[in-house]
Amino acid sequence: ATEAVALAARLVHPNAARPCVAILSKPKESLAARTKADVAGVGAALLDQHGCDVIYVSMADLSAATIESGTGDLLLGTRRISVIYSR
């Protein structure tokens, strides 16, 4: 699964040195231990094996995202998000 997510991120931003994958999940304190480990493992694989930057976001975080005029890119603060991966 991480290979496909990384490929999608590179297709969205082919010129980015490290495309950014936002992993959307519930807050860590409300996740079951197994799910928490799964989310962390996906993030680590995207970073270590595929060279993607990874950020963890909530629905509240995404509500603050904007669309950049001209490029149509999704921005969360200064981060250009290539893919949102929901866990």
Side-chain angles (χ1 to χ4, degrees):
T2 57
E3 189 171 319
V5 173
L7 176 60
R10 293 200 183 283
L11 288 171
V12 171
H13 292 122
N15 297 323
R18 297 178 66 89
C20 183
V21 176
I23 298 179
L24 172 65
S25 70
K26 294 179 184 176
K28 289 184 181 183
E29 61 274 1
S30 66
L31 293 176
R34 179 177 164 183
T35 304
K36 193 181 300 185
D38 178 56
V39 168
V42 168
L46 286 166
L47 177 64
D48 298 338
Q49 297 172 18
H50 303 291
C52 293
D53 282 340
V54 176
I55 59 172
Y56 298 90
V57 298
S58 66
M59 289 300 287
D61 295 328
L62 287 181
S63 71
T66 59
I67 303 295
E68 185 177 53
S69 178
T71 66
D73 285 347
L74 180 65
L75 301 176
L76 187 55
T78 60
R79 301 299 299 255
R80 194 171 305 276
I81 307 298
S82 303
V83 171
I84 298 172
Y85 183 62
S86 179
R87 291 304 293 166

